[in-house]
Amino acid sequence: MATKTQEKTAAKTEEKTAVTTAGRKPSEQALQAIDVAVGTPPTVAETVRTTAETWRNSETRSQEFETLQKRVKDLRDPKARTTEIESLRKRLASEVEKAETKGGDVRRQVTDQLIGQARKARERVEPVYRDRVEPVVKERVEPVYRDRVEPVIKERVQPIYRDRVEPAVKKVRERI
């Protein structure tokens, strides 16, 4: 059976989730998820790098060690646990926000690169199309169209259009 604290926590989590999801469109949520996923590796790498630098220096290492001991002590102490957990939540939210920002930057850079590559490819392909495909269309396709398709349109399609479609359109216009 769930305790009152667990029920309150679950209710708060559901509340926060409802507010976050209701305020955003699904496309924005998807972009946010992508940004966080893309931004997480560089953010983690940066954090690992700074942590390694911190632990290499004996002075900062001892300070970091004392800070970690204090956090563990606070987590074990029932009175200070809630504030420490809230502090960790805020740090996590901050890191996720950092990852999201970094991911958005990376996503935009990749998008710009892809657009540039597509433009270059188009610039390479269009002259070839103009030089090779368009003359073939003019020489082979257009004469066949003129000889075979246009007469069928004139003989079959246009009379039906005149007899059926135009009167129906006229009736609709009269009603309006």
Side-chain angles (χ1 to χ4, degrees):
M1 183 170 259
T3 64
K4 287 185 179 181
T5 309
Q6 289 173 336
E7 288 174 4
K8 284 181 184 178
T9 306
K12 284 182 182 178
T13 305
E14 288 173 11
E15 234 176 71
K16 287 179 184 177
T17 306
V19 169
T20 304
T21 32
R24 291 193 173 147
K25 295 179 185 175
S27 59
E28 291 172 351
Q29 290 174 345
L31 280 179
Q32 181 188 19
I34 289 169
D35 289 348
V36 171
V38 168
T40 299
T43 305
V44 168
E46 182 182 325
T47 303
V48 167
R49 202 176 304 114
T50 56
T51 303
E53 289 172 10
T54 301
W55 284 84
R56 282 190 190 122
N57 185 342
S58 63
E59 198 174 297
T60 56
R61 179 177 49 235
S62 62
Q63 290 174 354
E64 186 71 22
F65 189 65
E66 287 173 13
T67 305
L68 288 172
Q69 283 179 329
K70 183 186 178 306
R71 278 200 184 132
V72 169
K73 183 181 173 190
D74 287 347
L75 285 171
R76 288 183 179 155
D77 181 16
K79 293 176 184 173
R81 182 178 298 145
T82 22
T83 55
E84 187 61 32
I85 289 174
E86 195 58 39
S87 162
L88 290 172
R89 280 187 183 146
K90 286 178 183 174
R91 268 186 72 193
L92 176 64
S94 167
E95 292 297 318
V96 168
E97 193 173 306
K98 216 188 292 182
E100 183 179 350
T101 304
K102 185 85 159 172
D105 293 343
V106 169
R107 181 177 45 82
R108 281 185 284 282
Q109 288 173 353
V110 169
T111 302
D112 292 344
Q113 287 175 356
L114 289 174
I115 289 171
Q117 290 173 357
R119 283 191 181 127
K120 286 180 184 175
R122 183 178 182 181
E123 289 168 2
R124 282 194 317 266
V125 169
E126 279 183 345
V128 173
Y129 175 81
R130 266 186 252 112
D131 296 342
R132 295 183 184 171
V133 177
E134 284 181 357
V136 171
V137 168
K138 287 181 182 173
E139 289 174 20
R140 296 182 181 170
V141 177
E142 287 179 3
V144 171
Y145 180 82
R146 265 185 258 116
D147 295 343
R148 295 183 183 171
V149 178
E150 283 181 357
V152 171
I153 290 174
K154 286 179 184 172
E155 292 173 13
R156 295 182 183 169
V157 177
Q158 286 179 349
I160 292 172
Y161 181 81
R162 264 185 258 118
D163 295 343
R164 295 182 186 171
V165 177
E166 286 179 355
V169 170
K170 233 182 221 180
K171 288 179 183 177
V172 170
R173 284 188 182 159
E174 288 172 1
R175 289 181 188 169
I176 296 175

